[in-house]
Amino acid sequence: DLLNLLNLGTVDITDRSVSYLLKLSDQFQIERVLNLCEKHLLKSTGFDEMNKLLLADQFIFKSLKELVLQSFSTLTDLAAKLKSPEYENLSSDMKAAICDRLAKLV
């Protein structure tokens, strides 16, 4: 998929291929592919919020981070996410952003 994207300029990024493309494009610093992957993740319903936050955190996807944080609309919803095992894998910066969102909901 990455070679098709580089040679042909287009490829269908899917939920199945996005993780693979992210790893390779990050490794080879292909910013265009990273941007296309973020656009896919912004529309995707195949990843839950915490997995999207993990990807946003790892690949520094600001738009994805903001979209997911804004999707937490109630304290109950956000509290459930804080108890998820994925929460522990987030960076301190992402945890701080979640706390900021929590403060806005209070």
PDB file of all heavy atoms in Angstrom, residues 13-28:
ATOM      1  N   ILE A  13      -6.817   4.015   1.976  1.00  0.00           N
ATOM      2  CA  ILE A  13      -6.424   3.720   3.348  1.00  0.00           C
ATOM      3  C   ILE A  13      -7.643   3.161   4.055  1.00  0.00           C
ATOM      4  O   ILE A  13      -8.719   3.749   4.016  1.00  0.00           O
ATOM      5  CB  ILE A  13      -5.898   4.982   4.056  1.00  0.00           C
ATOM      6  CG1 ILE A  13      -4.647   5.491   3.341  1.00  0.00           C
ATOM      7  CG2 ILE A  13      -5.602   4.687   5.524  1.00  0.00           C
ATOM      8  CD1 ILE A  13      -4.113   6.798   3.862  1.00  0.00           C
ATOM      9  N   THR A  14      -7.460   2.019   4.663  1.00  0.00           N
ATOM     10  CA  THR A  14      -8.553   1.349   5.367  1.00  0.00           C
ATOM     11  C   THR A  14      -8.191   1.208   6.841  1.00  0.00           C
ATOM     12  O   THR A  14      -7.032   1.423   7.232  1.00  0.00           O
ATOM     13  CB  THR A  14      -8.800  -0.058   4.782  1.00  0.00           C
ATOM     14  OG1 THR A  14      -7.632  -0.856   5.033  1.00  0.00           O
ATOM     15  CG2 THR A  14      -9.088  -0.003   3.290  1.00  0.00           C
ATOM     16  N   ASP A  15      -9.178   0.819   7.634  1.00  0.00           N
ATOM     17  CA  ASP A  15      -8.904   0.574   9.045  1.00  0.00           C
ATOM     18  C   ASP A  15      -7.861  -0.527   9.207  1.00  0.00           C
ATOM     19  O   ASP A  15      -7.075  -0.514  10.146  1.00  0.00           O
ATOM     20  CB  ASP A  15     -10.189   0.183   9.791  1.00  0.00           C
ATOM     21  CG  ASP A  15     -11.120   1.363   9.992  1.00  0.00           C
ATOM     22  OD1 ASP A  15     -10.671   2.522   9.839  1.00  0.00           O
ATOM     23  OD2 ASP A  15     -12.300   1.130  10.302  1.00  0.00           O
ATOM     24  N   ARG A  16      -7.857  -1.445   8.269  1.00  0.00           N
ATOM     25  CA  ARG A  16      -6.912  -2.558   8.330  1.00  0.00           C
ATOM     26  C   ARG A  16      -5.488  -2.141   7.958  1.00  0.00           C
ATOM     27  O   ARG A  16      -4.513  -2.621   8.527  1.00  0.00           O
ATOM     28  CB  ARG A  16      -7.394  -3.667   7.401  1.00  0.00           C
ATOM     29  CG  ARG A  16      -6.782  -4.996   7.696  1.00  0.00           C
ATOM     30  CD  ARG A  16      -7.483  -6.080   6.933  1.00  0.00           C
ATOM     31  NE  ARG A  16      -6.447  -6.860   6.260  1.00  0.00           N
ATOM     32  CZ  ARG A  16      -6.616  -7.559   5.172  1.00  0.00           C
ATOM     33  NH1 ARG A  16      -7.780  -7.573   4.579  1.00  0.00           N
ATOM     34  NH2 ARG A  16      -5.643  -8.232   4.651  1.00  0.00           N
ATOM     35  N   SER A  17      -5.360  -1.207   7.027  1.00  0.00           N
ATOM     36  CA  SER A  17      -4.029  -0.821   6.551  1.00  0.00           C
ATOM     37  C   SER A  17      -3.444   0.396   7.269  1.00  0.00           C
ATOM     38  O   SER A  17      -2.245   0.635   7.180  1.00  0.00           O
ATOM     39  CB  SER A  17      -4.067  -0.542   5.045  1.00  0.00           C
ATOM     40  OG  SER A  17      -4.828   0.613   4.760  1.00  0.00           O
ATOM     41  N   VAL A  18      -4.265   1.145   7.983  1.00  0.00           N
ATOM     42  CA  VAL A  18      -3.798   2.416   8.534  1.00  0.00           C
ATOM     43  C   VAL A  18      -2.658   2.242   9.539  1.00  0.00           C
ATOM     44  O   VAL A  18      -1.690   3.007   9.517  1.00  0.00           O
ATOM     45  CB  VAL A  18      -4.967   3.255   9.120  1.00  0.00           C
ATOM     46  CG1 VAL A  18      -5.504   2.670  10.413  1.00  0.00           C
ATOM     47  CG2 VAL A  18      -4.547   4.701   9.306  1.00  0.00           C
ATOM     48  N   SER A  19      -2.708   1.239  10.383  1.00  0.00           N
ATOM     49  CA  SER A  19      -1.638   1.039  11.370  1.00  0.00           C
ATOM     50  C   SER A  19      -0.307   0.733  10.678  1.00  0.00           C
ATOM     51  O   SER A  19       0.739   1.265  11.053  1.00  0.00           O
ATOM     52  CB  SER A  19      -1.995  -0.093  12.329  1.00  0.00           C
ATOM     53  OG  SER A  19      -3.111   0.262  13.089  1.00  0.00           O
ATOM     54  N   TYR A  20      -0.378  -0.104   9.678  1.00  0.00           N
ATOM     55  CA  TYR A  20       0.800  -0.469   8.885  1.00  0.00           C
ATOM     56  C   TYR A  20       1.384   0.776   8.201  1.00  0.00           C
ATOM     57  O   TYR A  20       2.586   1.027   8.251  1.00  0.00           O
ATOM     58  CB  TYR A  20       0.380  -1.532   7.868  1.00  0.00           C
ATOM     59  CG  TYR A  20       1.340  -1.838   6.774  1.00  0.00           C
ATOM     60  CD1 TYR A  20       2.475  -2.605   7.014  1.00  0.00           C
ATOM     61  CD2 TYR A  20       1.115  -1.379   5.481  1.00  0.00           C
ATOM     62  CE1 TYR A  20       3.367  -2.896   5.984  1.00  0.00           C
ATOM     63  CE2 TYR A  20       1.994  -1.669   4.455  1.00  0.00           C
ATOM     64  CZ  TYR A  20       3.122  -2.419   4.721  1.00  0.00           C
ATOM     65  OH  TYR A  20       3.992  -2.704   3.705  1.00  0.00           O
ATOM     66  N   LEU A  21       0.511   1.561   7.572  1.00  0.00           N
ATOM     67  CA  LEU A  21       0.959   2.766   6.875  1.00  0.00           C
ATOM     68  C   LEU A  21       1.530   3.796   7.840  1.00  0.00           C
ATOM     69  O   LEU A  21       2.510   4.481   7.534  1.00  0.00           O
ATOM     70  CB  LEU A  21      -0.182   3.365   6.064  1.00  0.00           C
ATOM     71  CG  LEU A  21      -0.596   2.566   4.827  1.00  0.00           C
ATOM     72  CD1 LEU A  21      -1.882   3.116   4.239  1.00  0.00           C
ATOM     73  CD2 LEU A  21       0.517   2.567   3.793  1.00  0.00           C
ATOM     74  N   LEU A  22       0.932   3.891   9.012  1.00  0.00           N
ATOM     75  CA  LEU A  22       1.438   4.826  10.016  1.00  0.00           C
ATOM     76  C   LEU A  22       2.861   4.464  10.443  1.00  0.00           C
ATOM     77  O   LEU A  22       3.734   5.332  10.506  1.00  0.00           O
ATOM     78  CB  LEU A  22       0.530   4.847  11.248  1.00  0.00           C
ATOM     79  CG  LEU A  22      -0.754   5.647  11.127  1.00  0.00           C
ATOM     80  CD1 LEU A  22      -1.678   5.355  12.295  1.00  0.00           C
ATOM     81  CD2 LEU A  22      -0.440   7.132  11.031  1.00  0.00           C
ATOM     82  N   LYS A  23       3.075   3.196  10.730  1.00  0.00           N
ATOM     83  CA  LYS A  23       4.406   2.767  11.170  1.00  0.00           C
ATOM     84  C   LYS A  23       5.462   3.025  10.104  1.00  0.00           C
ATOM     85  O   LYS A  23       6.541   3.553  10.392  1.00  0.00           O
ATOM     86  CB  LYS A  23       4.380   1.285  11.547  1.00  0.00           C
ATOM     87  CG  LYS A  23       3.656   1.018  12.827  1.00  0.00           C
ATOM     88  CD  LYS A  23       3.574  -0.469  13.113  1.00  0.00           C
ATOM     89  CE  LYS A  23       2.669  -0.698  14.307  1.00  0.00           C
ATOM     90  NZ  LYS A  23       2.394  -2.105  14.536  1.00  0.00           N
ATOM     91  N   LEU A  24       5.159   2.653   8.875  1.00  0.00           N
ATOM     92  CA  LEU A  24       6.131   2.840   7.794  1.00  0.00           C
ATOM     93  C   LEU A  24       6.357   4.316   7.469  1.00  0.00           C
ATOM     94  O   LEU A  24       7.497   4.748   7.292  1.00  0.00           O
ATOM     95  CB  LEU A  24       5.682   2.096   6.541  1.00  0.00           C
ATOM     96  CG  LEU A  24       5.810   0.584   6.587  1.00  0.00           C
ATOM     97  CD1 LEU A  24       5.242  -0.038   5.323  1.00  0.00           C
ATOM     98  CD2 LEU A  24       7.268   0.178   6.764  1.00  0.00           C
ATOM     99  N   SER A  25       5.277   5.081   7.391  1.00  0.00           N
ATOM    100  CA  SER A  25       5.437   6.489   7.032  1.00  0.00           C
ATOM    101  C   SER A  25       6.138   7.259   8.152  1.00  0.00           C
ATOM    102  O   SER A  25       6.880   8.206   7.877  1.00  0.00           O
ATOM    103  CB  SER A  25       4.096   7.123   6.674  1.00  0.00           C
ATOM    104  OG  SER A  25       3.180   7.003   7.730  1.00  0.00           O
ATOM    105  N   ASP A  26       5.948   6.845   9.386  1.00  0.00           N
ATOM    106  CA  ASP A  26       6.671   7.464  10.489  1.00  0.00           C
ATOM    107  C   ASP A  26       8.150   7.081  10.431  1.00  0.00           C
ATOM    108  O   ASP A  26       9.031   7.925  10.562  1.00  0.00           O
ATOM    109  CB  ASP A  26       6.054   7.039  11.826  1.00  0.00           C
ATOM    110  CG  ASP A  26       6.671   7.760  13.002  1.00  0.00           C
ATOM    111  OD1 ASP A  26       6.718   9.006  12.979  1.00  0.00           O
ATOM    112  OD2 ASP A  26       7.108   7.077  13.949  1.00  0.00           O
ATOM    113  N   GLN A  27       8.419   5.813  10.191  1.00  0.00           N
ATOM    114  CA  GLN A  27       9.792   5.329  10.118  1.00  0.00           C
ATOM    115  C   GLN A  27      10.577   6.034   9.011  1.00  0.00           C
ATOM    116  O   GLN A  27      11.733   6.403   9.193  1.00  0.00           O
ATOM    117  CB  GLN A  27       9.805   3.824   9.885  1.00  0.00           C
ATOM    118  CG  GLN A  27      11.190   3.229   9.788  1.00  0.00           C
ATOM    119  CD  GLN A  27      11.162   1.728   9.547  1.00  0.00           C
ATOM    120  OE1 GLN A  27      10.116   1.092   9.562  1.00  0.00           O
ATOM    121  NE2 GLN A  27      12.319   1.154   9.309  1.00  0.00           N
ATOM    122  N   PHE A  28       9.917   6.229   7.863  1.00  0.00           N
ATOM    123  CA  PHE A  28      10.592   6.851   6.724  1.00  0.00           C
ATOM    124  C   PHE A  28      10.277   8.343   6.591  1.00  0.00           C
ATOM    125  O   PHE A  28      10.629   8.970   5.598  1.00  0.00           O
ATOM    126  CB  PHE A  28      10.238   6.106   5.429  1.00  0.00           C
ATOM    127  CG  PHE A  28      10.767   4.698   5.412  1.00  0.00           C
ATOM    128  CD1 PHE A  28       9.906   3.631   5.530  1.00  0.00           C
ATOM    129  CD2 PHE A  28      12.134   4.457   5.308  1.00  0.00           C
ATOM    130  CE1 PHE A  28      10.382   2.320   5.532  1.00  0.00           C
ATOM    131  CE2 PHE A  28      12.626   3.165   5.306  1.00  0.00           C
ATOM    132  CZ  PHE A  28      11.746   2.087   5.427  1.00  0.00           C
TER     133      PHE A  28
END
